[in-house]
């Protein structure tokens, strides 16, 4: 019998950083695991300790009219070269069928929508790291879309394999068959991540959807437009983004004391890491081989967690190193 127990400090870290009861689509998500037995209590912690790949589910935009939707569908089908798939195996190929779909969605919105700025569709990307079988990403994405939107919102999707990361572009009509509009909250996005991860695991792909703090990550990921602007600047092809200018100014006038939110962040990470160390040592003393293995994996996981550093602290350190190099260079030329 296992001696495993979920570490109390880490259990809090595994909870999504939002109130799940605020999710609008929770009942649909729960259908994914209905009828299946629950996994062992330590299964998720095992995946976290082994650093299995994390899924990405991201809303990339909304289309505002028929023309906008048409351009988006042209993009995800590579101007008709890729097939769009819909519910129940429906397949749309060629510019004419894609154009007809865009017109149908726009026309239905014109009849039923009461606001001019109501979006026609929601654009979602489902992605996994390089090396994952694209076919399984495709099948998991189909299951994800069917579970969440199949009986309420029309949708189409296309698999892209021309990038290192296999990913699916999923386009969902914002206006549901019941007249309700799709307006996901943060809680929905976390449930969507967990749903996609479960669908991948059902197909033999190791995947997780844990909050950043459970993995020792304290910085939010860079938004795609900001990242592209920064990369252009670093290549010498554009001006420095305003967000980067502001971050560098903040780092240059680094305060004598850490901000209250930085103190809380460090305290939370310290609690999480301490809880994991205690559990790792306890499991390593277990009589069960599986527990001892998990204990060793946990110890390695904690030892290799990244240092706790905010963006301001990282930039301040980089500025200090750059200033140090300049001063050493001036000293050598004297």
């Amino acid at each position: 019998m296992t001696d495993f127990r979920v570490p109390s400090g880490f259990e809090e870290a595994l909870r999504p950083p939002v109130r799940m009861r605020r999710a609008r689509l929770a009942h649909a998500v729960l259908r994914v695991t209905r009828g299946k037995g629950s996994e062992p209590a330590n299964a998720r912690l095992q995946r976290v300790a082994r650093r299995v790949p994390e899924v990405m589910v991201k809303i990339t935009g909304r289309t505002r009219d028929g023309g906008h939707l048409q351009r988006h569908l042209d993009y995800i089908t590579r101007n008709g070269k890729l097939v769009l798939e819909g519910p129940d195996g429906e397949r749309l190929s060629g510019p004419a069928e894609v154009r007809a779909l865009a017109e149908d969605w726009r026309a239905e919105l014109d009849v039923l929508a009461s606001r001019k700025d109501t979006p026609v569709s929601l654009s979602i990307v489902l992605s996994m790291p390089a090396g994952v079988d694209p076919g399984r990403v495709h099948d998991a994405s189909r299951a994800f879309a069917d579970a969440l939107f199949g009986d309420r919102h029309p949708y189409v999707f296309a698999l892209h394999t021309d990038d290192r990361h296999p990913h699916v572009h999923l386009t969902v009509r914002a206006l549901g068959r019941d007249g309700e509009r799709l307006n996901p909250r943060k809680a929905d996005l976390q449930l969507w991540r967990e749903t996609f991860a479960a669908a991948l695991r059902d197909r033999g792909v190791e995947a997780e959807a844990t909050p950043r703090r459970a993995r020792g990550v304290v910085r939010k990921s860079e938004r795609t437009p900001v990242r592209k602007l920064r990369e252009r600047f670093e290549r010498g092809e554009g001006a420095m983004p305003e967000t980067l200018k502001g971050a560098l100014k903040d780092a240059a006038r680094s305060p004598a004391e850490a901000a209250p939110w930085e103190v809380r962040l460090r305290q939370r990470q310290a609690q999480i890491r301490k809880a994991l160390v205690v559990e790792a040592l306890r499991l390593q003393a277990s009589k069960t081989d599986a527990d001892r293995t998990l204990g060793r994996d946990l110890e390695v996981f904690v030892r290799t967690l990244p240092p706790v550093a905010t963006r301001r602290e990282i930039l301040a350190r980089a500025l200090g190193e750059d200033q140090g190099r300049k001063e050493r260079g001036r000293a050598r030329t004297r």
Side-chain angles (χ1 to χ4, degrees):
M1 182 177 177
T2 180
D3 294 324
F4 171 79
R5 65 187 180 199
V6 178
S8 58
F10 191 69
E11 184 180 30
E12 177 63 26
L14 286 174
R15 290 197 182 98
V18 289
R19 295 182 179 181
M20 301 311 288
R21 65 175 178 269
R22 293 177 62 85
R24 297 176 183 270
L25 307 174
H27 65 281
V29 174
L30 293 177
R31 295 186 308 167
V32 175
T33 55
R34 184 175 295 170
K36 297 183 180 181
S38 59
E39 62 182 6
N42 61 359
R44 192 174 195 192
L45 191 56
Q46 287 176 339
R47 291 193 294 269
V48 172
R50 289 186 288 109
R51 288 186 168 89
V52 304
E54 292 280 331
V55 301
M56 189 197 79
V57 177
K58 186 175 183 179
I59 295 175
T60 57
R62 292 169 171 80
T63 62
R64 296 294 175 179
D65 54 46
H68 190 186
L69 174 60
Q70 175 69 56
R71 291 190 296 273
H72 174 70
L73 294 178
D74 286 342
Y75 166 73
I76 68 174
T77 61
R78 296 294 191 253
N79 293 315
K81 295 178 182 178
L82 300 179
V83 174
L84 277 179
E85 297 185 46
D88 302 321
E90 178 187 6
R91 296 170 68 87
L92 303 175
S93 59
E97 292 187 356
V98 171
R99 191 180 309 113
L101 174 70
E103 179 58 29
D104 287 345
W105 285 13
R106 184 202 60 77
E108 292 191 28
L109 186 68
D110 286 347
V111 172
L112 299 175
S114 58
R115 292 174 52 187
K116 293 183 179 179
D117 60 347
T118 300
V120 180
S121 68
L122 192 72
S123 305
I124 304 168
V125 171
L126 311 172
S127 177
M128 281 293 284
V132 177
D133 178 17
R136 298 189 184 190
V137 173
H138 171 274
D139 292 346
S141 299
R142 181 196 291 126
F144 168 91
D146 179 64
L148 287 171
F149 310 115
D151 57 355
R152 295 191 298 166
H153 292 267
Y155 64 84
V156 289
F157 67 92
L159 172 69
H160 284 196
T161 57
D162 54 356
D163 187 271
R164 290 192 311 113
H165 303 272
H167 60 280
V168 162
H169 287 270
L170 172 64
T171 302
V172 185
R173 196 180 74 184
L175 184 65
R177 293 186 175 93
D178 57 0
E180 185 176 349
R181 295 184 180 87
L182 182 61
N183 184 25
R185 298 176 176 178
K186 286 185 178 180
D188 290 302
L189 293 178
Q190 178 59 28
L191 285 170
W192 291 6
R193 290 187 70 227
E194 294 175 3
T195 301
F196 186 43
L200 284 162
R201 291 196 297 270
D202 287 345
R203 287 154 182 81
V205 178
E206 288 199 308
E208 251 304 335
T210 55
R212 287 189 302 270
R213 61 174 178 262
R215 308 189 301 274
V217 179
V218 299
R219 297 171 57 203
K220 291 184 178 180
S221 58
E222 197 173 28
R223 290 187 298 173
T224 301
V226 175
R227 176 178 57 80
K228 290 183 177 179
L229 287 172
R230 176 182 56 77
E231 290 174 347
R232 284 188 59 195
F233 166 70
E234 291 173 350
R235 293 194 302 266
E237 299 174 357
M240 179 183 292
E242 292 299 322
T243 53
L244 182 55
K245 286 182 182 179
L248 287 171
K249 286 181 180 179
D250 290 341
R253 56 172 184 267
S254 183
E257 297 182 357
W261 67 269
E262 291 179 326
V263 174
R264 291 193 298 271
L265 182 149
R266 291 184 180 280
Q267 290 174 342
R268 173 181 289 174
Q269 277 297 307
Q271 292 170 354
I272 292 171
R273 297 176 189 211
K274 180 180 178 180
L276 287 177
V277 168
V278 170
E279 185 64 11
L281 294 175
R282 197 180 67 81
L283 286 172
Q284 288 178 35
S286 172
K287 296 180 180 180
T288 306
D289 290 342
D291 285 348
R292 291 196 297 272
T293 299
L294 177 56
R296 289 191 294 270
D297 289 343
L298 276 178
E299 181 181 356
V300 172
F301 174 76
V302 176
R303 288 181 182 276
T304 55
L305 283 174
V308 180
T310 64
R311 186 187 189 194
R312 180 190 63 78
E313 292 169 330
I314 292 172
L315 289 175
R317 190 179 305 125
L319 288 173
E321 292 173 354
D322 185 59
Q323 183 64 27
R325 284 193 296 269
K326 290 179 180 178
E327 291 177 355
R328 288 192 295 272
R330 286 195 294 267
R332 285 195 295 268
T333 57
R334 289 174 185 170

